[in-house]
Amino acid sequence: MRIGTHLIASGDVSAEQLRADAAAALDLGTDSLWTNPQPGGWDPLTVLPALPGGSEVGTAVVPTYPHHPVMLATQALTVQELTGGRLTLGVGPGHELVTTGWLGLPYVAPARHTREYLEVLHPLLRGEHVRFSGEFFTVDTQITVRAKPPSVLLAAMGPRMLEVARDLADGTIAAWTRPETVESYFVPRLGDGARVLVMAMVSVTSDPDAVRERVARKFGMAGELPAYRAMLDRGGLSGPADSLLVGDESVVLRGIRRYRDAGTTDLILSVPDSPEERNRALEVIKSGI
C-alpha cells in the first residue's frame, strides 16, 4: 500500500508554504502528493507542477460539471508534460450544493453525466480526434499536445458511480470510510487491478476525544451532503469524526495495516489541522509498516 499526502490549497496558504509542506512530506517518504479545489483557493492542477519533483502528483478531485472535458483534457496534458509524466487525474461530479448552490449550474443525472464525461475525456487524453454527440456533450475536436495520457481515477461512492469507475477509470477515490467498507463494498465492485485510493484523516495523539471533537466541529457539514451521508450510512458511521483514525502510535499503525489488508492500494493522509500533525503521522506510519 502506498502512502500519500493531501495538501490543503486554500487561499490563506501561500505558494511558498504549499511547496514547503510538499517538500517536508517528501522528505518523510510520502509516495504521492494530492490536492483539490478549496473555496476561494488555488487551482489544483496549476499548483502541481510547482511542487517539488520525484513523486506522483494528483487531484482528488477536479469536479466535472464546472470543467468541460475538452478544457480539462487540455489542462491535464499540459500538467502531465510539465511534471514529467507524474500526474494522476482524479475527477468526480462533486456536490449539488456547490455546483448549483454556489455556481448556478444544473446538477443533473450525475452517474450518466460522469459516464459521458469520461467517454469524451479518455480519447482526448490519448490524442484522438473526438466526434461525440450525447445527452450532455457535443464535441468535434482534437488535442495535439504530445504527452502520455495520465491515469484517471473517479470519486465514486454510490453503486452506479462505482460501475462507471469500473468501466471507465483506473480506480476510485473514497472519503469518510473505514477499512470494513473498503473490503466489503469498494473492492468487490471494482474488480482486479483497480486502484482504491482512500482519503483518511489520521492523527497520532494521546487525546483522541479532543481530535474527534475538532473534526466534528470543522467537518460536520460534510455529513449533510447526500453522497457523503450515504457513504457514512453504509459504514454505520454517524458523522465524519467517526471515520477518523486517531490514537497513539500502536492504534494508528493497527488501523493503517487494516486499511492495507482490506484492499486499499493508496492511503492518502489528511489531517484535522496542521502540517506538523500530518508529518507526525507520516513519521509513525513510514517507520511502522
Side-chain angles (χ1 to χ4, degrees):
M1 183 176 69
R2 290 158 51 89
I3 302 296
T5 296
H6 180 242
L7 301 171
I8 302 295
S10 58
D12 58 352
V13 177
S14 69
E16 291 77 10
Q17 186 62 54
L18 273 174
R19 285 191 287 266
D21 290 346
L26 291 173
D27 287 345
L28 290 168
T30 194
D31 299 306
S32 57
L33 301 170
W34 301 79
T35 189
N36 68 311
Q38 297 285 320
W42 300 92
D43 175 71
L45 277 167
T46 306
V47 161
L48 295 179
L51 299 180
S55 73
E56 177 185 19
V57 292
T59 57
V61 298
V62 175
T64 55
Y65 284 95
H67 296 86
H68 193 282
V70 174
M71 298 299 101
L72 184 60
T74 303
Q75 192 177 11
L77 288 170
T78 302
V79 173
Q80 176 76 319
E81 184 65 18
L82 292 175
T83 58
R86 295 183 291 118
L87 174 66
T88 293
L89 181 64
V91 300
H95 304 281
E96 186 173 17
L97 171 67
V98 176
T99 302
T100 302
W102 297 3
L103 304 179
L105 300 173
Y107 189 84
V108 178
R112 295 204 313 272
H113 181 275
T114 303
R115 181 175 289 276
E116 195 168 298
Y117 193 99
L118 292 176
E119 288 172 347
V120 174
L121 181 70
H122 276 298
L124 288 170
L125 292 173
R126 295 193 296 264
E128 300 172 14
H129 192 125
V130 176
R131 294 181 176 88
F132 186 95
S133 181
E135 181 181 359
F136 302 100
F137 300 104
T138 300
V139 173
D140 184 358
T141 193
Q142 181 179 19
I143 301 169
T144 58
V145 173
R146 295 185 180 275
K148 179 183 176 182
S151 176
V152 177
L153 301 178
L154 176 63
M157 296 192 184
R160 291 185 64 196
M161 290 296 292
L162 282 166
E163 288 179 5
V164 178
R166 180 198 63 205
D167 295 343
L168 293 170
D170 298 310
T172 193
I173 300 172
W176 310 121
T177 190
R178 298 286 295 170
E180 296 77 16
T181 309
V182 172
E183 185 173 48
S184 64
Y185 178 71
F186 285 104
V187 171
R189 283 169 170 79
L190 289 169
D192 295 339
R195 289 179 76 176
V196 181
L197 188 150
V198 175
M199 306 287 292
M201 194 164 285
V202 180
S203 180
V204 179
T205 178
S206 60
D207 192 355
D209 289 340
V211 177
R212 291 191 185 95
E213 288 175 7
R214 276 192 287 140
V215 170
R217 289 195 305 269
K218 189 172 183 178
F219 297 97
M221 180 183 172
E224 300 175 14
L225 298 172
Y228 289 157
R229 182 67 262 162
M231 189 72 260
L232 292 166
D233 290 344
R234 284 187 185 96
L237 307 178
S238 62
D242 288 349
S243 71
L244 275 171
L245 177 50
V246 58
D248 62 22
E249 294 185 12
S250 63
V251 169
V252 168
L253 285 174
R254 281 198 302 271
I256 295 294
R257 293 174 187 134
R258 181 71 186 95
Y259 274 110
R260 178 195 61 197
D261 295 344
T264 304
T265 62
D266 301 78
L267 193 73
I268 310 305
L269 298 189
S270 182
V271 294
D273 278 323
S274 68
E276 291 77 19
E277 191 173 5
R278 180 204 59 221
N279 293 346
R280 172 60 177 148
L282 272 174
E283 287 176 349
V284 168
I285 293 165
K286 280 297 188 177
S287 65
I289 62 170

